[in-house]
Amino acid sequence: MYYSTTHPSPIGLITLACDGTNLVGLWLEGQKYHGDTIPETMTEKADLPIFDAAKRWLERYFAEKKPAISELPLAPIGNAFRQSVWGILREIPYDQTITYGAIAKRLGCKSSQAVGGAVGHNPISIIIPCHRVVGANGSLTGYAGGVQTKIKLLELEGVDMAGMVVPKKGTAL
């Protein structure tokens, strides 16, 4: 059984999902692929300890306290390739970015596009920091929550935005 609740944030309403013990989803309102990894209907239930912990984590995050990913029990649902990409995302420090190509290279994968697909389908956005992944030329492309949200999150984390560019067209717009 899967449960959900919502939480207001400075970037809009967030939906949280869990399996009763582990956080399995975090999506922004209107985000692409919202809830798509959950294999069954979620039941609204706000009073679960994992949701309380996730909300406290988010409050500290938006207060620029830089909480650790390891503070929460996470169980994103996805195949082995996606799990390996999401594992690398968990290693990206605050105030830093990585390119799709660098992730592909670490995995021994030839396709940055395959990595982009896994990053874009990250079911626990913000906490598993897919917003820290950028194009090879500093392009702020590929964020399922939209480029403006990606910019806000990176600025909140103190990323040097000097070399970053907003794409004229693409998946982030």
Side-chain angles (χ1 to χ4, degrees), residues 53-116:
K55 289 174 183 180
R56 284 191 305 274
W57 192 100
L58 287 165
E59 287 164 6
R60 290 189 359 261
Y61 174 83
F62 287 112
E64 300 180 39
K65 303 284 188 196
K66 299 185 178 182
I69 295 170
S70 61
E71 293 175 25
L72 295 171
L74 305 179
I77 301 166
N79 65 33
F81 178 75
R82 287 183 178 182
Q83 293 287 346
S84 63
V85 171
W86 302 335
I88 291 172
L89 299 182
R90 292 181 195 208
E91 298 171 6
I92 309 168
Y94 282 97
D95 80 10
Q96 293 186 28
T97 60
I98 190 171
T99 65
Y100 296 96
I103 293 172
K105 186 175 181 177
R106 280 189 58 186
L107 293 173
C109 168
K110 293 181 181 175
S111 175
S112 294
Q113 289 178 322
V115 168

Side-chain angles (χ1 to χ4, degrees), residues 19 42 155:
D19 61 10
M42 294 181 277
E155 288 176 343

Side-chain angles (χ1 to χ4, degrees), residues 93-156:
Y94 282 97
D95 80 10
Q96 293 186 28
T97 60
I98 190 171
T99 65
Y100 296 96
I103 293 172
K105 186 175 181 177
R106 280 189 58 186
L107 293 173
C109 168
K110 293 181 181 175
S111 175
S112 294
Q113 289 178 322
V115 168
V119 171
H121 284 85
N122 169 22
I124 307 178
S125 60
I126 301 174
I127 296 172
I128 297 177
C130 51
H131 57 278
R132 296 180 193 155
V133 183
V134 299
N137 64 351
S139 177
L140 297 171
T141 189
Y143 190 60
V147 71
Q148 293 308 315
T149 301
K150 184 172 189 159
I151 291 168
K152 287 177 187 175
L153 294 172
L154 292 173
E155 288 176 343
L156 176 80

